[in-house]
Amino acid sequence: PALATYQEWFKKTYPNEPAPDLPKADAESVTFTTEQILNYIENDSRGRQGDVKHGREIYAKAQCIKCHKFGAEGQGIGPDLTTLRRRFQKKEIIEAVLYPSQIVSDQYRTVTVVTVDGLVQTGMLASQQGQDSVVLWLNNGERTEIKKEEIEEQKPSTVSLM
C-alpha cells in the first residue's frame, strides 16, 4: 500500500517522467527465477566455479558486447561491466539482467521519438547532440540521426535499451 501511494504521487508530480511501476515477470518467457539462479551460483559447485569461456560466448551471442564493455572487449554505450561484481551484489546483477527496465540510471535513460511520418524510434540520446537533429543509440549498437523538424513527439521511455 505504501508503494502504491508513492507511485500515484510520483505519476501526478512528474507526469513527463516514466511511471515508477515494478516489472512483472512473464511466466511463459521466464525459465528461471532470480532465486533459482542465485541458488545455483551460490550452492551448486558448477555455478560457483563458472565457465569463463562459455560466459564470453554468451556475452557475444546475446549481443551484450554491442553496448557493454568488459575489459578490452565491447562498446561503451551502456554501463561498463568490468568492475560490476565489486559494485553490486549477485542478486542485483541477476535482477538487472532479467528485468533491465526495473532500474535505469538517468545517464542511460531512453527516449521514444515519433516522427511526422509515423516512424517510432526508442534509443538512448547520444552525448553529442546536434542543433538540428537528435542522435539516438539504438538497441543494436547503431546510431541514428533524426532531424528535429521531422519530430512530432519526443518523450522519456520506461524501457531500457537492453
Side-chain angles (χ1 to χ4, degrees), residues 55-70 73-79 81 97 139 141 162:
R56 181 176 280 120
E57 291 170 1
I58 291 170
Y59 175 71
K61 188 173 183 178
Q63 299 187 30
C64 307
I65 198 166
K66 287 190 173 187
C67 296
H68 294 282
K69 194 170 182 73
F70 188 86
E73 296 179 334
Q75 300 296 317
I77 298 168
L81 303 180
V97 172
N139 66 353
M162 195 166 124

Side-chain angles (χ1 to χ4, degrees), residues 38-83:
L38 188 59
N39 183 52
Y40 175 75
I41 63 176
E42 288 184 339
N43 300 317
D44 188 295
S45 61
R46 295 169 299 168
R48 281 194 315 270
Q49 179 182 347
D51 184 334
V52 174
K53 183 178 183 238
H54 191 220
R56 181 176 280 120
E57 291 170 1
I58 291 170
Y59 175 71
K61 188 173 183 178
Q63 299 187 30
C64 307
I65 198 166
K66 287 190 173 187
C67 296
H68 294 282
K69 194 170 182 73
F70 188 86
E73 296 179 334
Q75 300 296 317
I77 298 168
D80 188 328
L81 303 180
T82 307
T83 61

Side-chain angles (χ1 to χ4, degrees), residues 34 37-38 41 81 83-100 162:
T34 301
I37 296 170
L38 188 59
I41 63 176
L81 303 180
T83 61
L84 184 72
R85 181 64 187 104
R86 286 183 254 163
R87 297 180 290 144
F88 297 98
Q89 296 177 11
K90 292 174 186 173
K91 183 178 182 190
E92 293 171 318
I93 297 169
I94 294 166
E95 288 174 341
V97 172
L98 294 180
Y99 307 109
M162 195 166 124

Side-chain angles (χ1 to χ4, degrees), residues 113-119 146 148-153:
V113 175
V114 180
T115 66
V116 292
D117 295 335
L119 175 69
I146 304 169
K148 287 184 179 178
E149 63 196 34
E150 296 174 6
I151 296 175
E152 182 174 309
E153 181 181 14

Side-chain angles (χ1 to χ4, degrees), residues 1-9:
L3 182 58
T5 301
Y6 165 76
Q7 290 171 318
E8 285 305 313
W9 170 85

Side-chain angles (χ1 to χ4, degrees), residues 10-19 109 154-157:
F10 188 91
K11 288 176 189 177
K12 290 177 185 172
T13 307
Y14 303 102
N16 294 329
E17 293 297 320
R109 184 170 287 169
Q154 178 177 329
K155 61 184 178 179
S157 174

